[in-house]
Amino acid sequence: MEASMTAQANAVQLAAITVEVAHLKVAVADLRNTNASQSAKLDQVLAQLAEARGGWRTLMLIGGAAGTIGSAATWVFSHMKG
C-alpha cells in the first residue's frame, strides 16, 4: 500500500513538472519571438543612423563655418570702433 502511495505521489509530481516544463517551453518561444522582433527593430534603427551620419557631418560643418564667420565679424566690428 505504501509503495502504491509513493508511486502515486511520484506520478503527481511528474505530472506537475511536465506542466511546468510545457509552460517554460511556451515562455521561451515567446522570448525568442520578442528577441527576433527587437533585433529587426534594432537593425532598422542602425540603418537609419547610418543614413543620418552624412547629414550630421554637413550640419556640423555649416555650424562650424557659421561660428567662425560670426566670431570673425565680431572681431572686425570690435576693432573698427577703436
Side-chain angles (χ1 to χ4, degrees), residues 8-66:
Q8 287 177 349
N10 288 342
V12 169
Q13 288 177 349
L14 182 62
I17 290 171
T18 303
V19 169
E20 288 181 29
V21 168
H23 287 295
L24 288 173
K25 285 181 180 180
V26 170
V28 168
D30 287 343
L31 286 174
R32 285 184 179 156
N33 290 337
T34 302
N35 190 20
S37 173
Q38 288 178 346
S39 293
K41 289 178 183 179
L42 181 60
D43 289 342
Q44 290 174 349
V45 168
L46 292 175
Q48 190 69 29
L49 285 174
E51 291 176 10
R53 282 188 186 150
W56 283 107
R57 288 180 184 156
T58 303
L59 287 176
M60 293 300 289
L61 178 66
I62 291 171

